[in-house]
Amino acid sequence: MSTDCDVAIVGAGPAGLCLARALDGLGLKIMLLEAADRDRLARPPEDGREIALTHASRSLLEKLGVWQHIDRAEISDLLDAEIYDGDSLEPLRISRHDGGSEQLGWLAANYQIRKAAWQAVSGQSDIEMILGRRVEGTSPKENARILRLEGGDEVSARLVVAADSRFSNMRRAAGIGARMRDYGRSMLVARMEIEADHGHVAREWFAYGRTLALLPLNGQRASAVITLPTAQTRRLAALDAEQFGAEVTALYENRHGRMRLIADRHVYPMVGVWPDRVVAERLALVGDAAVGMHPVTAHGFNLGLNSVRVLADEISRSLERGNEVDAPAVLSGFQRRSRAASLPLFVATSTVVGLYTDERAPARLVRRTVLRAANRLAPFRRAIAGQLTGRGSLPAPVEALRRRVFEPGRAAD
Ligand SMILES: Cc1cc2nc3c(=O)[nH]c(=O)nc-3n(C[C@H](O)[C@H](O)[C@H](O)COP(=O)(O)OP(=O)(O)OC[C@H]3O[C@@H](n4cnc5c(N)ncnc54)[C@H](O)[C@@H]3O)c2cc1C
């Protein structure tokens, strides 16, 4: 078998599915290739990830018809956030009012988003699928890029988009290097029933030796997010449900009363990935393949959606101008705009993770000082809240620098 198409998307995770939906209707022949089979895509298993979604992400998901497929009862409001350092009682408060909105964002389970994205894509006439088969390699040829599937078949596309996770094989096969940082820690996530009301406020404690977060879910439920050295995470994951509940209640110092496990636990190794670039000949990276964020600042899928928005926009603008899907300006525009969005957040997240996993006395002092100062600096709080609600901007000097590097033509705006 050999098949030709305009755009081949490798990976039907949330990013790949959303991109397929975004390109549908542009008159392109789209091919979606995924290792998992149809049944798993239609009924993705629960994976413990609760995804904090920004206002920009919600509007894109609405536009793509994905949001409408998520059960409203399963979407939790995220009103405010509080960040605590060590045993300090004074948090950095990121309030919805700083973001000029009624709430900072929403929380939805990753498997629900995947299921909804699958429903939005199923039955779209421009999208063909090859499911249940891995893509094993890729190479450019004249006017196209070839994908080699397990079993020996080939797909030929004018443009290939790799949405095949942070450990992307397509990225490596296309010769794009990446800096990976293994933090030596793992994150355990679990849905818990809690006694004390969370008030729909997300809380994060950068305690010494561990990071804890509690994400508010509807009712007396929350997601416990516990980051520890890997051996300690494994031990916690192996406890029986009752022991686990007792240890977690103690870890959270009883702040939310007794906590009881109500779903399976899931453990994720913490590895950050920054590729050298997000394009190669006739190839673009989106989603986690383009930037593998540490989840502590909850930006991964939000950035993934931004990469979908930017690539779809570059492609549709190219077609509107009478150019092709594989015009050089598509990839150069995508590289510039998607990096402009992801670089500041990747650097900020890596700095936060570095600072808060460094237990030495100077680092402890710096982080406490930074958090206190940040709490008193309204423009800083507004910048963070505005990132989430879409009603703010980066502080002026940072924004000027960002524009100078990524948008030289607009630096003087
Ligand atoms: C614990 C945790 C909490 C998180 N919390 C947040 C949050 O609050 N907010 C937020 O924005 N983000 C969050 N994230 C990040 C978010 O989950 C990811 O950014 C998102 O799921 C990535 O989607 P993706 O489609 O890029 O990749 P994936 O979900 O990894 O999907 C990749 C797909 O590609 C397929 N594939 C891989 N290789 C091949 C191949 N060779 N051939 C064919 N198919 C292939 C896979 O089967 C898979 O279906 C969190 C992540 C974790 C781990």
Side-chain angles (χ1 to χ4, degrees):
M1 179 185 92
S2 176
T3 317
D4 291 346
C5 62
D6 295 309
V7 182
I9 302 169
V10 182
L17 288 168
C18 287
L19 180 69
R21 186 69 187 82
L23 296 182
D24 183 56
L26 295 180
L28 298 167
K29 182 176 170 190
I30 301 156
M31 187 81 78
L32 190 56
L33 301 104
E34 164 61 49
D37 63 21
R38 183 174 293 271
D39 198 48
R40 201 177 166 82
L41 293 171
R43 278 178 286 279
E46 194 263 340
D47 60 16
R49 299 185 201 187
E50 309 292 343
I51 306 294
L53 294 162
T54 62
H55 287 239
S57 293
R58 175 183 169 157
S59 24
L60 182 58
L61 289 172
E62 276 176 349
K63 200 169 146 210
L64 298 177
V66 174
W67 185 263
Q68 295 81 333
H69 285 294
I70 308 176
D71 180 359
R72 187 64 189 91
E74 293 292 327
I75 300 173
S76 311
D77 292 330
L78 179 54
L79 298 185
D80 301 318
E82 291 178 357
I83 302 161
Y84 296 80
D85 172 57
D87 48 12
S88 160
L89 295 176
E90 186 196 347
L92 167 61
R93 274 200 189 86
I94 312 292
S95 127
R96 63 204 120 140
H97 307 299
D98 286 329
S101 174
E102 291 187 351
Q103 60 192 93
L104 288 181
W106 296 266
L107 281 156
N110 191 49
Y111 81 99
Q112 296 271 1
I113 298 173
R114 291 188 76 144
K115 190 165 140 216
W118 170 258
Q119 287 172 306
V121 159
S122 302
Q124 301 299 324
S125 56
D126 293 349
I127 306 169
E128 288 181 28
M129 302 191 196
I130 300 179
L131 306 176
R133 291 174 76 184
R134 283 185 67 74
V135 180
E136 291 189 326
T138 178
S139 49
K141 75 161 195 191
E142 209 188 343
N143 296 329
R145 184 174 266 281
I146 299 297
L147 293 173
R148 285 181 295 283
L149 276 59
E150 69 181 345
D153 296 325
E154 288 188 348
V155 167
S156 166
R158 299 176 69 180
L159 182 68
V160 166
V161 183
D164 56 341
S165 87
R166 68 184 58 205
F167 303 112
S168 168
N169 279 329
M170 292 302 101
R171 186 176 66 213
R172 189 175 301 115
I176 303 177
R179 268 171 282 168
M180 296 200 189
R181 171 131 191 232
D182 187 331
Y183 291 98
R185 297 185 179 223
S186 297
M187 183 178 273
L188 183 151
V189 286
R191 280 192 171 200
M192 312 289 294
E193 190 181 75
I194 57 173
E195 272 179 342
D197 197 10
H198 49 53
H200 285 275
V201 176
R203 296 190 173 86
E204 193 149 28
W205 294 270
F206 289 101
Y208 302 126
R210 58 182 183 265
T211 302
L212 308 171
L214 199 83
L215 305 177
L217 305 177
N218 291 336
Q220 290 298 107
R221 299 178 311 152
S223 170
V225 183
I226 302 169
T227 310
L228 291 166
T230 298
Q232 292 179 36
T233 317
R234 282 210 196 103
R235 189 193 71 80
L236 208 53
L239 295 176
D240 69 39
E242 200 162 322
Q243 280 178 313
F244 179 78
E247 285 218 13
V248 172
T249 304
L251 266 176
Y252 282 80
E253 297 176 353
N254 240 331
R255 292 178 185 105
H256 288 274
R258 192 164 157 260
M259 298 170 74
R260 194 173 67 83
L261 184 66
I262 51 171
D264 287 344
R265 287 160 276 187
H266 299 267
V267 173
Y268 295 93
M270 291 296 99
V271 182
V273 183
W274 181 253
D276 296 342
R277 53 192 201 281
V278 294
V279 299
E281 191 178 341
R282 293 180 179 280
L283 180 129
L285 309 176
V286 300
D288 274 16
V291 50
M293 299 283 287
H294 190 297
V296 74
T297 52
H299 280 305
F301 184 50
N302 291 300
L303 277 175
L305 279 174
N306 185 63
S307 64
V308 164
R309 184 181 61 78
V310 171
L311 185 58
D313 182 52
E314 289 292 336
I315 290 174
S316 69
R317 285 200 326 200
S318 179
L319 299 177
E320 271 164 30
R321 287 192 208 112
N323 296 327
E324 301 293 335
V325 66
D326 51 358
V330 169
L331 290 183
S332 60
F334 174 68
Q335 161 80 22
R336 182 175 44 77
R337 290 171 63 195
S338 75
R339 290 297 241 198
S342 59
L343 182 63
L345 291 174
F346 186 80
V347 171
T349 301
S350 304
T351 308
V352 167
V353 175
L355 199 56
Y356 284 92
T357 47
D358 189 341
E359 303 301 340
R360 289 170 299 177
R364 287 185 181 199
L365 184 65
V366 169
R367 64 203 230 189
R368 182 152 298 188
T369 311
V370 166
L371 215 67
R372 281 209 181 124
N375 203 23
R376 289 177 174 84
L377 275 176
F380 180 81
R381 293 196 318 269
R382 280 201 290 271
I384 300 183
Q387 272 289 121
L388 305 173
T389 61
R391 299 199 186 150
S393 56
L394 294 169
V398 180
E399 176 60 16
L401 183 66
R402 189 189 71 79
R403 283 199 178 179
R404 191 153 302 134
V405 174
F406 292 105
E407 302 172 41
R410 294 186 58 210
D413 289 4

